[in-house]
Each structure stands twice: as structure tokens, then as C-alpha cells.
Amino acid sequence: MPARMTPDIDDKAGLEALFAAIAGEPAIGLAVSGGADSLALMLLAQRWAAGLSRAPRLVVYSVDHGLRPEAAGEVAMVLQAAARLGLAARGLAWTGEKPAAGVQEAARATRYRLMGAAMAEDGATVLLTAHHVQDQAETVLMRMAHGSGIEGLKGMTAFAEVEGLRVHRPLLDVDPKALHAVVEAAGLTPAADPSNADPHYERVRWRQAMPQ
């Protein structure tokens, strides 16, 4: 089977193809953590919308999980970058007690819950996330390792319902290196979450094993 080609995200037609599935939505949410991938999603979505005669309204959502002292500053950075692009943006916060175990799973569920509530207030009908081709490969490996068999080869789908929220992943065919180049060209400095390199988490262990 030939290798899947990554879309040309620098090309107008390529951008239109990335976001074609949600072009008819009235308002679209963007999940932006401040990392390189999500910043690229924000930049690409803004460029796509700017080229349309009748574009959906874009609203950026960034969540401070209250787990790292740097997170508040990262949310502020996202809001400032969104403002420079002319996008509406909201900072959301996970307050209260955090669980002693399963923190990442709880943070994920809370993140979608917070963004879902904000989207309902803003009239946004779908949330875009920045999952890319490497995330897809990691997901397949994890599912296969957990005994999902041939079903594991399906990986993530472009559309899904997550925590009751309609989610679209337009970048599943895109190489993260291309996304990082978009962010660098825009002069933005992405946030670095140390948990993304912590081998305590299963996904990180698979990411580190990928070259082998």
C-alpha cells in the first residue's frame, strides 16, 4: 500500500480540503493548548476562514487544568495570539480538587466538559482538535497492544463524539513537522508541557519507541 501523502497546508486548495467537512457550520470551536500542534491548527483555521466569502465564526478555547504553575501563562499566550489573528477566544479553568490517580484521564474529560459548556453558550457546533498523523500512529499501536486486533488498525476517526461533544480532527493526515513549521513561520513560541515527555504515561512510552 503506498504511503499516505501529507496535504499541502501551504496551498489554498489544500486548506480548503482540510476544513471542507465543517465549512457549513455556523460557528466552530478550536481546542488550543498552546503547544505547537494546536497553535498550527489555530493559524491554519484562521487562514482558511479568511479566504472564504461566508466563513464560519471561529472561537478559540484554552484550558488551564491547574496542574502546572505555567499553565495560566500559556492560556494567556493563546488568548493574545488569537486576538492578534482577530479570533474570539476564551480561557477556561479546572478548579477544585484533583484526583490522586488517573489525572490525565480526568483532565481530558474535564477539558471537553468545559469546552462543551462554553461552546453551547457561544453557539459553536463542532470542536476542532489538532491530532495529527503521529498521534494516529501512536493510537493504533496502543490499541493493538491492548488486544483490539484488526479493529485497532482503524485508529482515530475524523469525526467522533467525545464526552458528549462533537469533535472533528482535520489534521490526521498531516505530519507534525509541517505543523511546527507553520508555527515557526508565524513567529510564535509554543508552550512545552513536560508531561509530553514523561515515560510514566503510556502514550509517551509509545512515542519514544516509535523510531524502533
Side-chain angles (χ1 to χ4, degrees):
M1 181 180 295
R4 183 180 290 177
M5 296 292 289
T6 190
D8 185 358
I9 57 178
D10 295 320
D11 177 74
K12 184 176 185 293
L15 280 181
E16 290 178 351
L18 279 184
F19 299 105
I22 41 85
E25 303 290 337
I28 296 169
L30 305 175
V32 182
S33 66
D37 305 331
S38 63
L39 287 176
L41 172 67
M42 180 174 68
L43 290 163
L44 294 172
Q46 188 274 336
R47 292 174 192 173
W48 162 71
L52 300 178
S53 57
R54 295 184 63 182
R57 184 166 57 92
L58 303 181
V59 186
V60 172
Y61 300 102
S62 191
V63 179
D64 176 1
H65 298 88
L67 299 173
R68 295 183 295 111
E70 302 86 0
E74 292 165 3
V75 169
M77 177 269 288
V78 170
L79 300 186
Q80 291 170 3
R84 288 197 295 271
L85 294 171
L87 300 179
R90 295 178 63 174
L92 307 171
W94 181 18
T95 58
E97 294 295 322
K98 307 300 189 292
V103 173
Q104 277 206 331
E105 293 80 3
R108 174 182 179 275
T110 301
R111 177 167 63 250
Y112 282 108
R113 176 178 58 78
L114 290 171
M115 289 190 289
M119 286 171 60
E121 295 175 359
D122 297 334
T125 52
V126 62
L127 179 72
L128 304 192
T129 66
H131 294 98
H132 49 64
V133 71
Q134 182 176 310
D135 295 320
Q136 182 72 292
E138 293 164 5
T139 297
V140 169
L141 288 173
M142 288 171 64
R143 289 181 178 176
M144 294 288 285
H146 285 273
S148 61
I150 197 69
E151 288 296 309
L153 294 176
K154 291 182 179 179
M156 290 182 284
T157 57
F159 279 95
E161 184 173 307
V162 182
E163 302 294 336
L165 188 60
R166 184 167 168 248
V167 172
H168 181 46
R169 307 171 178 118
L171 307 180
L172 283 180
D173 291 337
V174 180
D175 190 316
K177 292 179 182 178
L179 298 176
H180 295 187
V182 168
V183 175
E184 184 177 357
L188 295 177
T189 301
D193 184 345
S195 69
N196 290 329
D198 186 347
H200 173 75
Y201 300 112
E202 181 185 11
R203 181 173 289 275
V204 174
R205 294 196 297 272
W206 280 111
R207 183 176 304 140
Q208 293 173 344
M210 285 282 283
Q212 286 75 45

